[in-house]
Amino acid sequence: MPKPGYPRSIMEFTRQFATEEQCLDYLVRCRWPDGFRCRRCGGEKSWPRPDRKAMRCAGCDLITTVTAGTAMHRSRLPLKSWMWAAYLVATDKRGVSALGLQRQLGLTRYETAYQMLQKLRTAMVAPERTQLSGVVEIDETLIGAPFRGRKDRTASDKAVVVGAVEVLPTKKSTQPGRIRLRHVATSSKPRLMAFVKDSVERGALVITDGHETYDEVEKLGYEHGIESTTMGEAQENVLKHLHMVFSNLKTWIEGTHHGGVSKKHLQRYLDEFTFRFNRRHTPQAAFQTILGIAAKMPPHTYEQVYAGEPAAPLPF
Ligand SMILES: [Zn+2]
């Protein structure tokens, strides 16, 4: 039996996840696409226990939870709340703030919404393993004013973000493909080159502005293209896909999070933006990924992810 599909509309979603029993059934089918099987006795018959977010084996009475290894693990909130939270996070283009989630779900405490979001975001942090390829634009930008309220703000208060976007051919023009974004301490050559090496497949055509920082990409095994106004290119055509991405990123950070993103957490927001951008054509599939039920992904913590521990690749 194939895994259950994704809800394709809000109507479908409402029907599919109306009760705790339905939510549990969905999770069971995600976890055991070929049907439940008890790990203790091998029994294939079981009874749902929605109150425990679990299945009880009819043969040996063992209770197996269905939330282990997912964002919902050890949560006391109803499964329905989790389904809605994941749906909102996956399908709302602007993303959801903790306050927004608290209101939408009717939660009493802000802290509860905040914790839910943090857990759902962990799945978005899952490092994307495949590198960008083909034609790739690379550039840096400065993000926001992380230290709000300071009058003597200088450029050094802003965070440097280096980004990459695939440029895909269309019939008449080009369009953006997948992106990568990284918060770097400074825009020094070694840091930028490390980003290129990590993010872009060798042999790709790397397009940058005329800045000398990127002169070495050829040595690293890339082709190098330059788009620059000094080379006669119109300003709006210089790295236009990446500048569109940067512009959307800034709008999102300033809009959804009111510009209040600290440098400490910036990478996490970049990951969320990247996750959503790269799945903009399949938001419903992102729903399963966020809940942690898309693949057998080992649960990992924020710290592990940033310590560079490997995570299982995403299924799409
Ligand atoms: Zn059993």
Side-chain angles (χ1 to χ4, degrees):
M1 250 202 316
K3 276 179 63 151
Y6 322 116
R8 305 220 169 258
S9 68
I10 199 154
M11 297 301 284
E12 205 179 301
F13 185 89
T14 312
R15 271 199 306 276
Q16 199 171 344
F17 300 110
T19 64
E20 285 298 285
E21 284 77 9
Q22 284 178 304
C23 296
L24 181 66
D25 180 61
Y26 182 82
L27 293 180
V28 167
R29 285 185 291 131
C30 283
R31 190 171 187 116
W32 294 284
D34 301 317
F36 172 87
R37 183 173 259 275
C38 175
R39 286 187 74 177
R40 186 155 76 186
C41 75
E44 291 177 7
K45 202 163 167 34
S46 64
W47 308 104
R49 285 290 304 268
D51 55 327
R52 310 271 307 259
K53 301 186 173 80
M55 298 301 283
R56 197 185 103 208
C57 173
C60 72
D61 284 333
L62 182 74
I63 288 183
T64 305
T65 65
V66 298
T67 56
T70 74
M72 300 160 277
H73 192 45
R74 292 185 193 281
S75 164
R76 291 185 183 176
L77 290 166
L79 292 173
K80 213 173 145 179
S81 301
W82 281 104
M83 298 290 157
W84 273 107
Y87 187 79
L88 293 171
V89 169
T91 56
D92 190 324
K93 278 201 188 89
R94 295 155 302 152
V96 179
S97 68
L99 191 62
L101 188 64
Q102 185 194 5
R103 285 187 186 139
Q104 296 257 33
L105 297 183
L107 299 168
T108 332
R109 297 178 60 233
Y110 172 85
E111 184 61 21
T112 310
Y114 180 80
Q115 292 297 341
M116 282 180 100
L117 270 188
Q118 293 299 84
K119 284 186 179 153
L120 293 172
R121 283 186 181 132
T122 304
M124 298 191 181
V125 170
E128 316 213 19
R129 291 288 141 186
T130 52
Q131 294 176 304
L132 306 186
S133 57
V135 180
V136 181
E137 294 177 359
I138 306 246
D139 200 5
E140 321 97 65
T141 191
L142 294 173
I143 292 284
F147 305 109
R148 288 206 300 168
R150 263 178 60 174
K151 287 207 176 99
D152 59 337
R153 192 199 307 153
T154 61
S156 63
D157 285 342
K158 298 200 171 199
V160 184
V161 169
V162 54
V165 60
E166 282 174 335
V167 179
L168 306 175
T170 60
K171 262 187 187 156
K172 284 184 181 158
S173 171
T174 55
Q175 66 179 27
R178 297 170 300 161
I179 61 166
R180 295 286 182 270
L181 296 168
R182 182 182 290 177
H183 176 203
V184 286
T186 64
S187 50
S188 70
K189 196 180 271 190
R191 285 198 171 88
L192 298 181
M193 288 305 118
F195 171 76
V196 174
K197 272 204 288 196
D198 292 346
S199 313
V200 186
E201 202 175 272
R202 279 220 198 161
L205 168 61
V206 168
I207 301 180
T208 68
D209 60 18
H211 205 274
E212 60 180 24
T213 321
Y214 293 102
D215 284 354
E216 278 181 16
V217 293
E218 282 175 8
K219 280 192 211 152
L220 296 175
Y222 302 97
E223 282 188 69
H224 190 196
I226 291 172
E227 282 179 5
S228 155
T229 46
T230 56
M231 309 283 270
E233 199 85 57
Q235 182 63 47
E236 66 267 24
N237 288 332
V238 172
L239 306 173
K240 66 174 179 183
H241 296 299
L242 191 53
H243 290 162
M244 182 273 298
V245 168
F246 285 157
S247 158
N248 288 352
L249 172 68
K250 287 172 190 178
T251 305
W252 174 64
I253 286 185
E254 280 154 28
T256 309
H257 303 286
H258 311 291
V261 174
S262 69
K263 279 187 183 176
K264 188 179 161 209
H265 295 298
L266 179 58
Q267 186 61 47
R268 181 177 274 216
Y269 288 99
L270 297 180
D271 289 336
E272 179 178 346
F273 183 88
T274 301
F275 179 91
R276 193 173 285 109
F277 189 92
N278 289 351
R279 287 164 186 74
R280 64 200 183 279
H281 303 306
T282 55
Q284 292 89 351
F287 165 73
Q288 289 194 340
T289 307
I290 292 173
L291 275 178
I293 55 180
K296 291 221 163 22
M297 213 166 73
H300 47 221
T301 65
Y302 182 65
E303 287 71 26
Q304 280 172 336
V305 169
Y306 284 101
E309 299 223 350
L314 295 169
F316 44 78

